[in-house]
Amino acid sequence: MLQPVDLDAFLAFLAGLAALVIIGLQAWYDRRDALLADHRRLNSAFSCARCGTTYVRPRRREEAACPRCGWNNVRLRF
Ligand SMILES: [Zn+2]
């Protein structure tokens, strides 16, 4: 048994649904952008104590070997 639905109520329901979808998408993209920015920002910089080479390694790490001489250096802190 179908009940007649008021057109205004139906349109209001559709508008509310569309607003929810848009707000949800915005939240999802905001979260995704924040995660990607963190991933790009979390590089570690090193300056070799033996040969003076400056280099960067992805992710946060405390030590990395120099690409030129192989010396193990600690992360630069700013
Ligand atoms: Zn080096």
Side-chain angles (χ1 to χ4, degrees):
M1 184 170 89
L2 287 174
Q3 289 184 336
V5 178
D6 186 28
L7 183 62
D8 287 344
F10 181 67
L11 289 177
F13 171 75
L14 279 185
L17 202 64
L20 277 180
V21 167
I22 288 170
I23 289 170
L25 280 175
Q26 185 190 21
W28 189 78
Y29 276 107
D30 276 354
R31 190 175 130 76
R32 181 173 158 271
D33 283 350
L35 286 175
L36 284 175
D38 275 354
H39 187 71
R40 286 193 205 101
R41 189 161 44 84
L42 290 177
N43 285 334
S44 300
F46 301 89
S47 181
C48 183
R50 184 190 273 176
C51 70
T53 304
T54 303
Y55 56 102
V56 174
R57 288 291 174 264
R59 298 193 310 274
R60 177 72 68 202
R61 59 176 72 184
E62 291 305 312
E63 290 187 353
C66 174
R68 186 188 285 176
C69 68
W71 187 259
N72 215 25
N73 296 287
V74 291
R75 177 170 66 89
L76 290 177
R77 290 175 175 82
F78 300 102

